[in-house]
Amino acid sequence: MTSKPIHDPFELEFEADDEFTSPSSDAWRETPMTPATGVDPFADFPPAREPETRDFGADPLADDLDQPEPPRAQPANPVHEMIASAEAALGEHTLPRITIHVFCAQPETADLVERAAADRRMARAAVVVRMGGLVGAFETYQNQPTPSLVMVESLDPAPQLIAQLDQLAEVCDPGTKVVVIGAANDIALYRELMRRGVSEYLVPPLNPLQVVRTVTSLYADPSAPFVGRQIAFCGAKGGSGASTVAHNVAYSITERLQTGAVLVDLDLAFGTAGLDFNQDPLQGVADALTQPDRLDPVLMDRMMARCTERLSLFAAPATLDNDYDIGPVAYDEVTQKIRSAAPFVVLDLPHLWTAWTRKILLSSDDLVIVATPDLASLRNAKNMIDLVRRARPNDAPPRLVLNQVGVPGRPEIPVKDFGEALGLTPSLSLPFDPKLFGQAANNGQMLCEVAPKSRAAEGIDYLAQQIARRDPPPVQKTSLFGSLFKRK
């Protein structure tokens, strides 16, 4: 974009383009197009990039839905699986503090953009939705500067769309990005828009996640630190076994799926991660929370205990010497820094309700609620799930794990009725096995170490695969002759 270099009063004290992008060319306003009738208006235009086979009308999430049905599992909701796969593809890119103006031609598009603006990944962006389409954008910016990003919708044919876009280019400020929502699924039009400097071209049908993905990808910083996937485990009530499930899932992710993970025990007073992994580190997560500004990769590595080659532990002190009056800002800063240490970060949350637990629950990529089949767990789990659904409308719903199912002599809510009351199919149902769980806890071992063929261990491995969205590496077969002639 070229023309009037006026300071943008809508910017919120942050120039995202200076930090994340390089100035783009303004070729799209330098080559006006003369509409022609009866012929392809773009036939003489050379392609601005290598030919692409991109189908803008196809469902971008279709390939993520072909997942085999695992054993011992309830059938998954395909809508939830689609949302979860899309969220995984989005990663954890968040927008900088920018202003976005959206000019819609249809009320349906305005409603869709409003829902996308409520997504947690766009929390720092100021989104203004107006009607009027491409013509309304041109009229608006004749008297005011343009923001960092302008999204315009046009239902006009391609020649008229290009002509109106040239008019908009004359009133746009340098560095402004433009996303066009059109009606024609035409690769030639797409190439022409890209050649003229348009950042992206979208074609209905759209959903909020596609809008979020498009906007966040425009401001993805390739030099930003690596961000791992954050999984929060929380119990519906005390004693539900959320810590045990979290520790075993973290171990399964590293040992079964062969990838790195960090386990963070946030129950500072009564955490059991150190006991479960037979670790007693001198420093842990409490030291990081008391000095979050000093936490760097070197100090973080010194504070974490090595449980295995791939699993690191941020243990809780588990003492009552301090009151641990730590604010939510420290928790947010520390958890964000830990996410750069491994592809997966498993958070073991205590059963309490504070500002920082609420923020972590709503900001995590995956949330696993562990409950027992009784009325108190049902009530608490429903409250948590309803809260998360309202606050994260575009994210996958929480995963529900029913633990301690089948206690002799105890009246229980059936698994099917429990899930129907919550409107959620349980991802895993763990049987009551006090001997196995007690032996693992007393020995400082995981379930797959004590009884790898047990139903509980297999269920934990299945849950880890669903959370990590990957399959375990194939086991290499060894031949008999190879072992016989192996060098000693």
Side-chain angles (χ1 to χ4, degrees):
M1 306 280 181
T2 59
S3 254
K4 48 179 183 177
I6 305 176
H7 176 68
D8 185 3
F10 295 94
E11 295 294 333
L12 304 179
E13 302 179 359
F14 185 84
E15 286 296 331
D17 296 302
D18 295 340
E19 294 291 334
F20 296 94
T21 59
S22 57
S24 58
S25 63
D26 300 333
W28 71 296
R29 65 176 300 274
E30 297 173 358
T31 311
M33 191 192 80
T34 304
T37 58
V39 296
D40 183 5
F42 308 113
D44 297 331
F45 284 112
R49 55 179 68 184
E50 292 297 325
E52 302 175 13
T53 57
R54 183 173 181 177
D55 185 5
F56 295 96
D59 183 3
L61 310 176
D63 295 338
D64 296 334
L65 299 178
D66 300 330
Q67 299 294 335
E69 196 67 27
R72 301 181 184 271
Q74 298 287 343
N77 188 326
V79 177
H80 293 171
E81 291 299 324
M82 179 183 69
I83 299 175
S85 301
E87 198 275 340
L90 280 171
E92 190 53 29
H93 293 148
T94 57
L95 282 178
R97 301 186 187 279
I98 61 172
T99 301
I100 304 174
H101 288 181
V102 186
F103 293 85
C104 304
Q106 304 176 94
E108 297 81 4
T109 306
D111 179 67
L112 181 140
V113 174
E114 291 283 2
R115 286 184 286 147
D119 191 273
R120 60 187 175 90
R121 285 161 285 253
M122 299 182 66
R124 294 192 293 176
V127 182
V128 179
V129 182
R130 302 173 182 174
M131 302 301 294
L134 190 52
V135 176
F138 170 71
E139 296 175 352
T140 299
Y141 297 130
Q142 285 183 324
N143 302 318
Q144 68 180 59
T146 53
S148 298
L149 175 61
V150 177
M151 298 181 67
V152 292
E153 182 183 19
S154 176
L155 305 179
D156 298 322
Q160 189 173 352
L161 169 63
I162 295 293
Q164 294 173 353
L165 206 57
D166 288 335
Q167 294 178 349
L168 178 63
E170 297 177 358
V171 296
C172 278
D173 298 331
T176 296
K177 298 178 184 293
V178 174
V179 173
V180 178
I181 302 175
N185 186 7
D186 187 359
I187 188 63
L189 173 61
Y190 171 78
R191 288 173 176 166
E192 176 59 20
L193 294 177
M194 297 300 104
R195 195 181 75 84
R196 290 172 175 253
V198 172
S199 298
E200 188 56 273
Y201 177 65
L202 302 177
V203 177
L206 298 173
N207 59 57
L209 284 176
Q210 288 177 279
V211 177
V212 174
R213 181 190 311 173
T214 299
V215 176
T216 54
S217 64
L218 296 179
Y219 293 92
D221 181 13
S223 62
F226 170 81
V227 176
R229 189 169 188 80
Q230 180 172 292
I231 308 107
F233 285 77
C234 183
K237 72 170 189 176
S240 60
S243 295
T244 300
V245 176
H247 304 167
N248 280 273
V249 167
Y251 187 85
S252 179
I253 288 176
T254 57
E255 303 309 306
R256 299 292 192 185
L257 305 182
Q258 303 293 305
T259 185
V262 175
L263 173 62
V264 186
D265 191 349
L266 293 176
D267 191 350
L268 302 183
F270 304 104
T272 58
L275 292 176
D276 286 349
F277 287 96
N278 199 19
Q279 298 284 339
D280 188 18
L282 297 178
Q283 293 179 306
V285 67
D287 299 282
L289 291 171
T290 54
Q291 44 186 352
D293 53 334
R294 293 186 53 207
L295 189 63
D296 56 18
V298 177
L299 183 59
M300 190 185 310
D301 188 66
R302 287 169 50 192
M303 290 181 173
M304 290 189 297
R306 283 283 181 179
C307 299
T308 66
E309 182 182 352
R310 299 179 180 87
L311 179 60
S312 299
L313 170 63
F314 245 125
T319 63
L320 303 180
D321 297 335
N322 299 314
D323 293 334
Y324 305 117
D325 188 12
I326 302 173
V329 176
Y331 280 94
D332 183 60
E333 184 175 353
V334 169
T335 53
Q336 289 297 323
K337 290 182 178 180
I338 295 176
R339 297 182 70 165
S340 63
F344 295 94
V345 177
V346 178
L347 303 182
D348 180 10
L349 300 181
H351 181 68
L352 52 85
W353 195 249
T354 62
W356 67 265
T357 54
R358 177 191 178 99
K359 182 172 179 57
I360 287 180
L361 288 178
L362 298 182
S363 62
S364 296
D365 299 307
D366 270 304
L367 172 60
V368 182
I369 299 176
V370 182
T372 53
D374 54 61
L375 189 59
S377 287
L378 178 61
R379 181 201 62 183
N380 296 345
K382 179 172 178 54
N383 290 337
M384 296 172 65
I385 292 173
D386 291 345
L387 170 68
V388 172
R389 280 174 169 165
R390 289 194 302 268
R392 297 156 49 113
N394 300 323
D395 286 84
R399 299 179 187 272
L400 175 64
V401 175
L402 279 179
N403 193 20
Q404 304 174 17
V405 176
V407 176
R410 182 182 71 175
E412 296 181 348
I413 301 175
V415 175
K416 181 180 179 181
D417 296 342
F418 200 101
E420 289 179 351
L422 301 177
L424 191 66
T425 302
S427 300
L428 179 63
S429 178
L430 290 174
F432 178 68
D433 193 344
K435 183 177 179 181
L436 172 60
F437 283 83
Q439 182 181 355
N442 292 337
N443 295 344
Q445 294 178 303
M446 297 294 105
L447 297 177
C448 61
E449 294 179 292
V450 177
K453 300 299 183 180
S454 63
R455 291 185 57 192
E458 291 179 356
I460 290 292
D461 290 341
Y462 162 70
L463 180 62
Q465 293 178 36
Q466 297 304 302
I467 292 175
R469 294 176 176 88
R470 63 179 66 188
D471 295 325
V475 179
Q476 296 182 354
K477 296 182 179 180
T478 58
S479 64
L480 175 62
F481 294 102
S483 60
L484 290 176
F485 294 102
K486 185 179 180 179
R487 291 183 179 180
K488 296 182 179 180

